[in-house]
Amino acid sequence: MSNRYDEWFKLRVVQQCLREETSLREVARQHCLDASTVRQWLDNYRQHGVTGLRKKYTHRSAAFKLAVLERMWRDGLSHR
């Protein structure tokens, strides 16, 4: 199960990365987050502003999800 963070929390983390001389990894550690998650939030913010930090609600059918998993297994793809 993945953690869900609201856009205000994400914005505070991103602003901390941009404002301080602390490394991205250190900011992630301070908030008990994976550095790749923080890097993704930072990239989304740089490209789209605050809008890039909002949750995206998409609903996929069970058939679509199964097809994705089968392709991942067949082609040796990672979950990312």
Side-chain angles (χ1 to χ4, degrees):
M1 179 184 291
S2 64
N3 291 325
R4 299 292 176 170
Y5 302 98
D6 64 26
E7 78 181 77
W8 302 115
F9 175 76
K10 293 176 186 179
L11 182 60
R12 285 196 311 269
V13 171
V14 166
Q15 287 175 337
Q16 185 178 355
C17 289
L18 295 172
R19 177 180 63 243
E20 297 183 6
E21 294 180 12
T22 308
S23 71
L24 183 142
R25 287 182 186 264
E26 178 61 23
V27 172
R29 190 191 64 72
Q30 289 173 7
H31 295 283
C32 300
L33 297 167
D34 189 77
S36 65
T37 299
V38 175
R39 186 174 298 109
Q40 185 173 6
W41 293 350
L42 192 55
D43 291 344
N44 287 344
Y45 180 79
R46 285 179 173 149
Q47 286 185 334
H48 307 287
V50 177
T51 305
L53 301 177
R54 292 193 179 131
K55 293 179 184 175
K56 295 150 190 79
Y57 296 98
T58 55
H59 299 282
R60 307 284 189 208
S61 69
F64 174 81
K65 293 175 184 179
L66 182 59
V68 169
L69 290 173
E70 288 173 344
R71 177 159 185 244
M72 287 171 59
W73 293 323
R74 182 183 66 239
D75 297 343
L77 304 173
S78 72
H79 73 280
R80 291 199 178 254

